[in-house]
């Protein structure tokens, strides 16, 4: 009985470690194409409502940073690229949290 409990305990600890190491997908906003592909990957498994909320959050954060940069930059394309880059390496939860704080 003790041996079975030890094995089960070890299996549970291993499972928790593996689950803890699993990382949520992050945004690759290094280009417009990669941005769109990241949205698709990150939205997998979300409900339609969650997906819509996530997509709206992405656009809100992107627009906020782009608009802020356009005020101080003359190159609009560069400002748009930097606004997009503000999403880079963030998880869906981080993007939604940032959008809610704006």
């Amino acid at each position: 009985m003790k041996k079975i409990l030890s094995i089960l305990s070890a299996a549970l600890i291993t499972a928790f470690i593996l689950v803890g190491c699993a990382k949520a997908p992050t945004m690759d906003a290094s280009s417009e194409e990669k941005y769109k592909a990241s949205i698709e990957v990150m939205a997998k498994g979300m409900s339609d409502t969650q997906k819509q909320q996530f997509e709206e959050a992405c656009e809100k954060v992107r627009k906020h940073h782009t608009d802020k940069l356009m005020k101080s930059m003359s190159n609009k394309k560069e400002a748009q690229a930097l606004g997009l880059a503000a999403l880079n390496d963030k998880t869906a939860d981080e993007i939604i949290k940032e959008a809610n704080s704006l």
Side-chain angles (χ1 to χ4, degrees):
M1 186 68 165
K2 265 187 169 181
K3 189 174 183 177
I4 292 173
L5 286 175
S6 294
I7 292 171
L8 286 175
S9 295
L12 282 173
I13 290 170
T14 303
F16 285 127
I17 290 171
L18 291 175
V19 169
C21 292
K23 201 172 157 192
T26 58
M27 177 66 70
D28 180 354
S30 58
S31 71
E32 188 70 31
E33 295 78 25
K34 289 181 180 181
Y35 165 71
K36 289 177 182 176
S38 288
I39 287 176
E40 290 301 314
V41 169
M42 294 170 75
K44 282 185 182 172
M46 290 182 182
S47 69
D48 290 341
T49 304
Q50 290 170 322
K51 185 176 180 178
Q52 182 179 359
Q53 180 187 21
F54 170 59
E55 289 173 353
E56 289 172 359
C58 288
E59 286 305 311
K60 183 176 182 179
V61 171
R62 179 183 183 175
K63 184 178 180 343
H64 169 78
H65 288 284
T66 299
D67 290 350
K68 191 174 171 183
L69 289 164
M70 282 189 168
K71 290 177 183 175
S72 63
M73 298 176 75
S74 58
N75 186 333
K76 290 185 180 188
K77 281 192 174 197
E78 188 177 348
Q80 290 172 335
L82 290 171
L84 183 61
L87 297 166
N88 214 28
D89 295 325
K90 293 183 179 174
T91 64
D93 289 339
E94 291 170 333
I95 293 168
I96 290 168
K97 185 178 179 180
E98 182 175 348
N100 289 338
S101 73
L102 298 176

